[in-house]
């Protein structure tokens, strides 16, 4: 009992010392509070509309009939498309795309209406730029939809003239009825899709860097011996006392982010509150564990922070959020398993976004727990560095 009291007192003194260092060093305040809050507000407000709207599109209408003009009006009425210009030729419209004035254009050649009425299969072309993937894909979808609907409208009018009933017309134009269900994100909200991985990824980056920085500066500024003396040479007490205030701040920021996106912005979260809280705790502990491990592996402030930066940045590509991991090279697929962001994303999409039980993501939970336990492997190396190493600028 007496030893426990001594340990608690040492932890409190070490934590108070760390709070003093954080207060007097603006890097801690900026990287632990200011920048994370800016990142959260920036990304969630950047895509607050959910989807891009009124993307500029051009038209080259060489037919200029009532039917083609109705097609253009219908295209302009789509939520994601705005007919921003009419051009006299394909060359002019192509130059407008090259100047980034429009992302796509519809080309209607002369005689299109006459060919359509006489069933001679007119050819309508649409050109779109996939340099901006989202804009190009959305405009392609709208252009394809409006041309299909226009052809169906003409066919419907001709069948009505032949005395067909609405049911017969519907069965002829669309013989196979489609029943489409978009699961999880039926609004196609890009804020839900991107902010839920970009923001945690950047928060993990800050946690990596600050953890390695806080240990490395003990060597850099010659405080290592005093730090170890306060812990009576016990590296576990020293690390726990140092990381405890950071853990509380990072956990508060991460829980604040989750309240903001799930509670205020109402991102889908059928997994429930307990899954959200568990994932926040696992993310913070695993990120700090990796930061300590990176420094213990190479007790150098510059090298450990470089490794942490690299590992966090690679995670954005290898986590599988924007491109499926199984479609990547086998080496990248294997590398992704030792990146914390990958396991964060898997638990998020399995247990929070889709609401499946935690047992379905047990392997990813074990991986994050293993990341949190990594410091056990390098504590002796960290202690030796603090006692023997001399910082070389």
């Amino acid at each position: 009992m007496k030893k426990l009291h001594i340990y608690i007192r040492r932890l409190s003194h070490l934590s108070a010392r760390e709070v003093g260092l954080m207060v007097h060093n603006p890097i801690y305040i900026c990287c632990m509070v200011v920048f994370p809050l800016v990142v959260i507000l920036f990304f969630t407000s950047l895509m607050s509309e959910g989807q891009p709207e009124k993307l500029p599109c051009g038209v080259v209408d060489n037919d200029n009939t009532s039917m083609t003009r109705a097609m253009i009006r219908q295209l302009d009425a789509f939520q994601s498309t705005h007919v921003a210009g009419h051009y006299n030729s394909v060359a002019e419209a192509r130059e407008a795309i090259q100047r980034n004035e429009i992302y796509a254009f519809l080309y209607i050649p002369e005689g299109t209406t006459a060919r359509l009425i006489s069933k001679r299969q007119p050819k309508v072309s649409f050109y779109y730029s996939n340099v901006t993937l989202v804009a190009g894909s959305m405009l392609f979808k709208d252009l394809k939809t409006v041309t299909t609907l226009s052809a169906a409208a003409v066919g419907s009018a001709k069948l009505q003239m032949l005395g067909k009933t609405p049911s017969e017309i519907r069965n002829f134009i669309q013989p196979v009825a489609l029943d489409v269900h978009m699961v999880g994100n039926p609004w196609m909200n890009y804020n839900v899709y991107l902010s839920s991985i970009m923001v945690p990824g950047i928060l993990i980056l800050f946690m990596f860097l600050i953890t390695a920085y806080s240990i490395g500066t003990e060597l850099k500024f010659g405080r290592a011996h005093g730090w170890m003396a306060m812990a009576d040479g016990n590296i576990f007490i020293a690390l726990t006392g140092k990381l405890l205030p950071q853990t509380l701040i990072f956990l508060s920021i991460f829980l604040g982010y989750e309240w903001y996106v799930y509670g205020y912005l109402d991102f889908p979260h059928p997994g429930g509150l307990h899954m959200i809280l568990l994932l926040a705790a696992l993310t913070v502990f695993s990120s700090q564990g990796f930061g300590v491990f990176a420094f213990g592996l190479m007790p150098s402030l510059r090298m450990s922070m470089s490794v942490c930066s690299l590992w966090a940045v690679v995670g954005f590509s290898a986590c599988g959020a924007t491109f499926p991991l199984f479609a990547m090279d086998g080496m990248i697929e294997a590398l992704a398993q030792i990146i914390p962001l990958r396991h964060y994303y898997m638990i998020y999409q399995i247990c929070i976004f889709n609401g499946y039980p935690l047992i379905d993501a047990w392997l990813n939970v074990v991986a994050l727990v293993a990341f949190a336990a990594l410091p056990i492997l390098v504590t002796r190396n960290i202690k030796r560095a603090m006692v023997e190493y001399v910082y070389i600028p």
Side-chain angles (χ1 to χ4, degrees):
M1 191 68 182
K2 186 177 180 181
K3 283 187 175 181
L4 179 61
H5 179 71
I6 293 172
Y7 288 153
I8 293 175
R9 188 175 61 190
R10 286 174 182 165
L11 281 175
S12 63
H13 290 166
L14 286 165
S15 297
R17 172 182 180 272
E18 186 65 19
V19 170
L21 294 174
M22 291 162 57
V23 169
H24 291 94
N25 191 340
I27 290 179
Y28 287 102
I29 304 300
C30 291
C31 293
M32 298 177 70
V33 180
V34 178
F35 291 161
L37 292 178
V38 170
V39 166
I40 293 169
L41 295 175
F42 173 75
F43 278 101
T44 53
S45 60
L46 181 68
M47 297 171 284
S48 59
E49 298 296 327
Q51 267 192 32
E53 297 183 358
K54 297 302 177 183
L55 296 167
C57 177
V59 173
V60 180
D61 186 7
N62 290 342
D63 198 33
N64 197 24
T65 62
S66 59
M67 193 200 79
T68 59
R69 290 192 294 270
M71 184 192 302
I72 295 168
R73 288 194 298 271
Q74 192 174 27
L75 177 64
D76 193 41
F78 286 163
Q79 183 178 2
S80 56
T81 304
H82 168 59
V83 177
H86 293 257
Y87 303 93
N88 296 322
S89 66
V90 172
E92 288 185 16
R94 177 179 57 80
E95 290 174 1
I97 287 183
Q98 292 173 334
R99 293 192 300 268
N100 286 326
E101 295 175 358
I102 57 176
Y103 292 109
F105 67 89
L106 174 66
Y107 171 55
I108 306 173
E110 187 177 355
T112 296
T113 303
R115 284 176 173 273
L116 185 61
I117 293 174
S118 61
K119 292 186 177 181
R120 285 184 291 160
Q121 196 180 33
K123 184 180 289 186
V124 174
S125 304
F126 37 88
Y127 299 80
Y128 59 98
S129 171
N130 250 8
V131 173
T132 306
L133 187 61
V134 172
S137 300
M138 294 183 71
L139 286 175
F140 168 76
K141 181 188 71 174
D142 285 356
L143 290 168
K144 186 175 182 180
T145 301
V146 76
T147 51
T148 303
L149 290 176
S150 298
V154 173
S156 175
K158 294 190 70 173
L159 290 172
Q160 281 182 329
M161 292 172 60
L162 294 174
K164 301 294 182 180
T165 64
S167 178
E168 291 174 324
I169 293 171
R170 185 171 60 251
N171 292 336
F172 180 80
I173 292 176
Q174 190 181 20
V176 178
L178 301 178
D179 187 17
V180 181
H181 300 272
M182 186 178 292
V183 179
N185 188 6
W187 317 277
M188 285 185 65
N189 189 325
Y190 282 88
N191 203 9
V192 172
Y193 165 57
L194 288 175
S195 293
S196 57
I197 190 65
M198 289 297 295
V199 174
I202 296 174
L203 295 181
I204 288 173
L205 170 62
F206 284 132
M207 285 185 266
F208 280 4
L209 293 175
I210 286 297
T211 302
Y213 174 81
S214 64
I215 302 173
T217 49
E218 297 291 348
L219 275 177
K220 180 177 180 178
F221 298 119
R223 301 192 302 255
H225 291 284
W227 177 43
M228 293 303 299
M230 289 184 67
D232 196 27
N234 189 325
I235 188 61
F236 291 100
I237 297 294
L239 287 173
T240 304
K242 173 172 281 294
L243 297 179
L244 184 59
Q246 299 177 26
T247 302
L248 295 177
I249 294 174
F250 280 132
L251 199 55
S252 300
I253 293 293
F254 209 95
L255 289 173
Y257 153 75
E258 291 187 325
W259 170 83
Y260 180 60
V261 296
Y262 298 124
Y264 183 75
L265 298 181
D266 201 25
F267 282 15
H269 54 286
L273 179 63
H274 63 291
M275 290 293 183
I276 293 173
L277 296 177
L278 175 63
L279 185 55
L282 286 173
T283 304
V284 172
F285 294 145
S286 63
S287 300
Q288 289 186 300
F290 183 86
V292 175
F293 177 74
F295 182 84
L297 203 61
M298 46 193 75
S300 164
L301 179 61
R302 287 170 294 182
M303 287 299 298
S304 59
M305 292 187 70
S306 298
V307 169
C308 288
S309 300
L310 175 64
W311 226 245
V313 171
V314 169
F316 288 107
S317 301
C319 69
T322 55
F323 190 81
L325 187 63
F326 68 83
M328 298 183 190
D329 185 79
M331 185 178 294
I332 302 298
E333 190 172 356
L335 178 67
Q337 306 310 317
I338 53 175
I339 294 177
L341 186 59
R342 166 64 180 173
H343 300 287
Y344 167 87
Y345 175 67
M346 291 300 294
I347 297 173
Y348 160 74
Q349 69 156 349
I350 292 172
C351 300
I352 295 178
F353 188 72
N354 289 310
Y356 295 126
L358 188 64
I359 192 65
D360 290 353
W362 70 269
L363 190 60
N364 306 105
V365 173
V366 169
L368 290 184
V369 172
F371 279 115
L374 280 178
I376 297 173
L377 303 177
V378 295
T379 48
R380 290 181 62 185
N381 204 27
I382 295 176
K383 182 177 180 179
R384 185 168 64 250
M386 294 299 140
V387 173
E388 300 176 3
Y389 289 8
V390 176
Y391 178 78
I392 301 175

mmCIF file of all heavy atoms in Angstrom, residues 320-337:
data_model
loop_
_atom_site.group_PDB
_atom_site.id
_atom_site.type_symbol
_atom_site.label_atom_id
_atom_site.label_comp_id
_atom_site.label_asym_id
_atom_site.label_seq_id
_atom_site.Cartn_x
_atom_site.Cartn_y
_atom_site.Cartn_z
ATOM 1 N N GLY A 320 -7.351 1.951 -47.100
ATOM 2 C CA GLY A 320 -8.400 1.327 -47.894
ATOM 3 C C GLY A 320 -9.688 2.119 -47.977
ATOM 4 O O GLY A 320 -10.699 1.617 -48.475
ATOM 5 N N ALA A 321 -9.686 3.372 -47.530
ATOM 6 C CA ALA A 321 -10.911 4.167 -47.554
ATOM 7 C C ALA A 321 -11.235 4.692 -48.946
ATOM 8 O O ALA A 321 -12.400 4.770 -49.335
ATOM 9 C CB ALA A 321 -10.787 5.335 -46.582
ATOM 10 N N THR A 322 -10.226 5.080 -49.714
ATOM 11 C CA THR A 322 -10.466 5.658 -51.034
ATOM 12 C C THR A 322 -10.222 4.667 -52.164
ATOM 13 O O THR A 322 -10.727 4.866 -53.273
ATOM 14 C CB THR A 322 -9.553 6.879 -51.253
ATOM 15 O OG1 THR A 322 -8.186 6.494 -51.045
ATOM 16 C CG2 THR A 322 -9.904 7.981 -50.268
ATOM 17 N N PHE A 323 -9.440 3.634 -51.906
ATOM 18 C CA PHE A 323 -9.175 2.605 -52.909
ATOM 19 C C PHE A 323 -9.074 1.279 -52.174
ATOM 20 O O PHE A 323 -8.355 1.181 -51.175
ATOM 21 C CB PHE A 323 -7.865 2.904 -53.657
ATOM 22 C CG PHE A 323 -7.632 2.035 -54.866
ATOM 23 C CD1 PHE A 323 -8.249 2.337 -56.069
ATOM 24 C CD2 PHE A 323 -6.815 0.917 -54.797
ATOM 25 C CE1 PHE A 323 -8.049 1.548 -57.191
ATOM 26 C CE2 PHE A 323 -6.608 0.113 -55.900
ATOM 27 C CZ PHE A 323 -7.230 0.431 -57.114
ATOM 28 N N PRO A 324 -9.793 0.243 -52.608
ATOM 29 C CA PRO A 324 -9.830 -1.010 -51.834
ATOM 30 C C PRO A 324 -8.448 -1.628 -51.679
ATOM 31 O O PRO A 324 -7.676 -1.698 -52.642
ATOM 32 C CB PRO A 324 -10.767 -1.906 -52.653
ATOM 33 C CG PRO A 324 -10.831 -1.287 -54.006
ATOM 34 C CD PRO A 324 -10.633 0.177 -53.818
ATOM 35 N N LEU A 325 -8.174 -2.077 -50.474
ATOM 36 C CA LEU A 325 -6.841 -2.594 -50.174
ATOM 37 C C LEU A 325 -6.534 -3.863 -50.962
ATOM 38 O O LEU A 325 -5.400 -4.087 -51.384
ATOM 39 C CB LEU A 325 -6.715 -2.855 -48.670
ATOM 40 C CG LEU A 325 -5.329 -3.240 -48.166
ATOM 41 C CD1 LEU A 325 -4.333 -2.111 -48.399
ATOM 42 C CD2 LEU A 325 -5.381 -3.606 -46.689
ATOM 43 N N PHE A 326 -7.540 -4.716 -51.177
ATOM 44 C CA PHE A 326 -7.282 -5.984 -51.865
ATOM 45 C C PHE A 326 -6.850 -5.775 -53.314
ATOM 46 O O PHE A 326 -6.258 -6.672 -53.924
ATOM 47 C CB PHE A 326 -8.516 -6.892 -51.814
ATOM 48 C CG PHE A 326 -9.689 -6.386 -52.609
ATOM 49 C CD1 PHE A 326 -9.779 -6.623 -53.968
ATOM 50 C CD2 PHE A 326 -10.705 -5.671 -51.989
ATOM 51 C CE1 PHE A 326 -10.871 -6.163 -54.694
ATOM 52 C CE2 PHE A 326 -11.787 -5.201 -52.707
ATOM 53 C CZ PHE A 326 -11.867 -5.447 -54.071
ATOM 54 N N ALA A 327 -7.154 -4.581 -53.876
ATOM 55 C CA ALA A 327 -6.763 -4.298 -55.252
ATOM 56 C C ALA A 327 -5.362 -3.710 -55.351
ATOM 57 O O ALA A 327 -4.870 -3.473 -56.452
ATOM 58 C CB ALA A 327 -7.769 -3.344 -55.892
ATOM 59 N N MET A 328 -4.726 -3.445 -54.218
ATOM 60 C CA MET A 328 -3.374 -2.903 -54.219
ATOM 61 C C MET A 328 -2.343 -4.027 -54.352
ATOM 62 O O MET A 328 -2.675 -5.218 -54.269
ATOM 63 C CB MET A 328 -3.109 -2.106 -52.931
ATOM 64 C CG MET A 328 -4.002 -0.908 -52.739
ATOM 65 S SD MET A 328 -3.560 0.022 -51.245
ATOM 66 C CE MET A 328 -4.952 1.146 -51.131
ATOM 67 N N ASP A 329 -1.099 -3.634 -54.549
ATOM 68 C CA ASP A 329 -0.011 -4.597 -54.610
ATOM 69 C C ASP A 329 0.077 -5.372 -53.295
ATOM 70 O O ASP A 329 -0.230 -4.851 -52.224
ATOM 71 C CB ASP A 329 1.305 -3.861 -54.882
ATOM 72 C CG ASP A 329 2.468 -4.813 -55.072
ATOM 73 O OD1 ASP A 329 2.585 -5.383 -56.167
ATOM 74 O OD2 ASP A 329 3.262 -4.978 -54.126
ATOM 75 N N GLY A 330 0.501 -6.638 -53.402
ATOM 76 C CA GLY A 330 0.561 -7.490 -52.217
ATOM 77 C C GLY A 330 1.438 -6.931 -51.122
ATOM 78 O O GLY A 330 1.134 -7.077 -49.928
ATOM 79 N N MET A 331 2.530 -6.267 -51.489
ATOM 80 C CA MET A 331 3.420 -5.688 -50.481
ATOM 81 C C MET A 331 2.732 -4.557 -49.725
ATOM 82 O O MET A 331 2.864 -4.438 -48.496
ATOM 83 C CB MET A 331 4.702 -5.182 -51.156
ATOM 84 C CG MET A 331 5.759 -4.670 -50.189
ATOM 85 S SD MET A 331 7.270 -4.146 -51.026
ATOM 86 C CE MET A 331 7.837 -5.728 -51.678
ATOM 87 N N ILE A 332 1.979 -3.732 -50.451
ATOM 88 C CA ILE A 332 1.234 -2.642 -49.798
ATOM 89 C C ILE A 332 0.144 -3.216 -48.903
ATOM 90 O O ILE A 332 -0.104 -2.722 -47.794
ATOM 91 C CB ILE A 332 0.625 -1.703 -50.848
ATOM 92 C CG1 ILE A 332 1.715 -1.116 -51.754
ATOM 93 C CG2 ILE A 332 -0.162 -0.587 -50.181
ATOM 94 C CD1 ILE A 332 2.731 -0.275 -51.025
ATOM 95 N N GLU A 333 -0.502 -4.275 -49.368
ATOM 96 C CA GLU A 333 -1.559 -4.906 -48.566
ATOM 97 C C GLU A 333 -0.996 -5.441 -47.255
ATOM 98 O O GLU A 333 -1.633 -5.339 -46.195
ATOM 99 C CB GLU A 333 -2.198 -6.028 -49.376
ATOM 100 C CG GLU A 333 -3.459 -6.597 -48.772
ATOM 101 C CD GLU A 333 -4.174 -7.562 -49.684
ATOM 102 O OE1 GLU A 333 -3.732 -7.732 -50.834
ATOM 103 O OE2 GLU A 333 -5.170 -8.162 -49.234
ATOM 104 N N ALA A 334 0.203 -6.004 -47.312
ATOM 105 C CA ALA A 334 0.835 -6.497 -46.080
ATOM 106 C C ALA A 334 1.274 -5.343 -45.190
ATOM 107 O O ALA A 334 1.119 -5.391 -43.961
ATOM 108 C CB ALA A 334 2.030 -7.383 -46.440
ATOM 109 N N LEU A 335 1.828 -4.286 -45.795
ATOM 110 C CA LEU A 335 2.286 -3.128 -45.027
ATOM 111 C C LEU A 335 1.136 -2.462 -44.286
ATOM 112 O O LEU A 335 1.305 -1.963 -43.167
ATOM 113 C CB LEU A 335 2.965 -2.124 -45.967
ATOM 114 C CG LEU A 335 3.473 -0.822 -45.342
ATOM 115 C CD1 LEU A 335 4.628 -1.106 -44.397
ATOM 116 C CD2 LEU A 335 3.910 0.159 -46.434
ATOM 117 N N ALA A 336 -0.053 -2.460 -44.888
ATOM 118 C CA ALA A 336 -1.207 -1.785 -44.280
ATOM 119 C C ALA A 336 -1.582 -2.389 -42.932
ATOM 120 O O ALA A 336 -2.185 -1.705 -42.091
ATOM 121 C CB ALA A 336 -2.397 -1.836 -45.226
ATOM 122 N N GLN A 337 -1.238 -3.656 -42.720
ATOM 123 C CA GLN A 337 -1.611 -4.312 -41.469
ATOM 124 C C GLN A 337 -0.827 -3.784 -40.274
ATOM 125 O O GLN A 337 -1.198 -4.048 -39.123
ATOM 126 C CB GLN A 337 -1.420 -5.826 -41.591
ATOM 127 C CG GLN A 337 -2.129 -6.452 -42.780
ATOM 128 C CD GLN A 337 -3.589 -6.060 -42.892
ATOM 129 O OE1 GLN A 337 -4.313 -6.025 -41.890
ATOM 130 N NE2 GLN A 337 -4.032 -5.750 -44.100
#
